[in-house]
Amino acid sequence: MEVRWQTSTTRTCVLSCLFLLATFGCSTTPKKLDAQTNSTQAEAGGCPSSAQDGSHTKLIGTVVGVSDGDTATVKDENSDRHTTRFFAIDAPENGQDFGKLSKSNLSSLILDKPVCVIVIERDQYGRDVGIVYSKGEDMNLAQVAAGMAWHYKAYQNQQTGNDRWTYDRAETQARAERLGL
C-alpha cells in the first residue's frame, strides 16, 4: 500500500511540474499573471502569451467535435469549421486498441470548450495542424501526459527545444506509470 501511495504522489508531482514547465517555460524570471494577462488569455481562447509571437496563424473558437485522440473540429467566430490535427502527437485510431479511450479523454478535456489553436501548418488533407490550448494549457501535451497519445518523434525537430523536452518527458513518465497506451 505504501508503494502505491508513493507512485501516485510521484505521478501527481511530475504531471504538475510538467504542466508548470509547459505553461511558464524554463525562464528564471517568473512571468507575471495579472488581470490584463488573464483577460487576454480569455479573449484568445486560452492562448498563452508565449504562443502569440505572430509567426503562426491563430485560430480561436469552440470545439464542436472530436474525431479521435488527436483530431478535433473547431468552430470559429464566423461559424466556419476547421478540422484540426494536433501537432507533434499521435493517437490510436478509433478501431485500434485504446482508440475510443483516447478519444473519450480528449473529449472530456476540450469538447464544447473555447480553445486557441496555434496553426503550425496545413497537412495534405487540408487540416490545420497545430497546438491546441484550453485555458492556457497545452492539450497536445495533456494527451501525452495522460498516456492517451504518443509524442510524434517525426515532428520533434519542428518543436521548440522546451516543447520537445517536455513532450518526451511526459511520454516517458506516462510509460513508467503504465498510463493508457
Side-chain angles (χ1 to χ4, degrees), residues 7 35 39 42 74-75 80 86 101 119 124 143 145 153 157 162 176:
T7 302
S39 69
V74 178
K75 186 166 82 170
D80 293 329
F86 286 44
L101 189 59
V119 180
Q124 68 268 30
Q143 277 290 87
K153 304 288 197 272
N157 291 333
N162 185 54

Side-chain angles (χ1 to χ4, degrees), residues 145-164:
M148 294 296 134
W150 300 280
H151 179 205
Y152 203 168
K153 304 288 197 272
Y155 293 94
Q156 68 181 353
N157 291 333
Q158 294 179 32
Q159 291 181 289
T160 65
N162 185 54
D163 282 354
R164 185 170 41 249

Side-chain angles (χ1 to χ4, degrees), residues 3-79:
V3 172
R4 186 174 183 183
W5 178 82
Q6 289 175 346
T7 302
S8 177
T9 301
T10 301
R11 179 178 51 223
T12 302
C13 182
V14 168
L15 290 176
S16 296
C17 288
L18 286 172
F19 170 74
L20 291 172
L21 182 62
T23 303
F24 299 110
C26 295
S27 173
T28 56
T29 307
K31 292 185 180 177
K32 185 177 179 184
L33 295 177
D34 55 21
Q36 183 179 2
T37 302
N38 290 336
S39 69
T40 301
Q41 284 187 355
E43 292 168 7
C47 260
S49 58
S50 61
Q52 300 179 41
D53 63 5
S55 64
H56 297 289
T57 303
K58 182 172 49 176
L59 169 63
I60 299 169
T62 301
V63 175
V64 294
V66 174
S67 304
D68 56 30
D70 58 19
T71 309
T73 302
V74 178
K75 186 166 82 170
D76 68 18
E77 60 190 17
N78 297 322
S79 294

Side-chain angles (χ1 to χ4, degrees), residues 54-143:
S55 64
H56 297 289
T57 303
K58 182 172 49 176
L59 169 63
I60 299 169
T62 301
V63 175
V64 294
V66 174
S67 304
D68 56 30
D70 58 19
T71 309
T73 302
V74 178
K75 186 166 82 170
D76 68 18
E77 60 190 17
N78 297 322
S79 294
D80 293 329
R81 292 174 181 255
H82 303 264
T83 302
T84 304
R85 170 80 167 75
F86 286 44
F87 176 69
I89 72 169
D90 191 28
E93 302 302 320
N94 289 323
Q96 297 175 330
D97 289 344
F98 287 97
K100 288 183 181 178
L101 189 59
S102 180
K103 175 183 177 179
S104 176
N105 187 69
L106 184 59
S107 294
S108 72
L109 293 171
I110 62 172
L111 188 60
D112 297 323
K113 295 179 182 167
V115 295
C116 171
V117 182
I118 302 301
V119 180
I120 307 297
E121 63 187 12
R122 275 194 176 257
D123 69 9
Q124 68 268 30
Y125 306 109
R127 300 178 295 187
D128 293 325
V129 179
I131 304 170
V132 179
Y133 293 93
S134 178
K135 297 181 183 176
E137 184 179 351
D138 180 340
M139 295 293 101
N140 303 34
L141 177 61
Q143 277 290 87

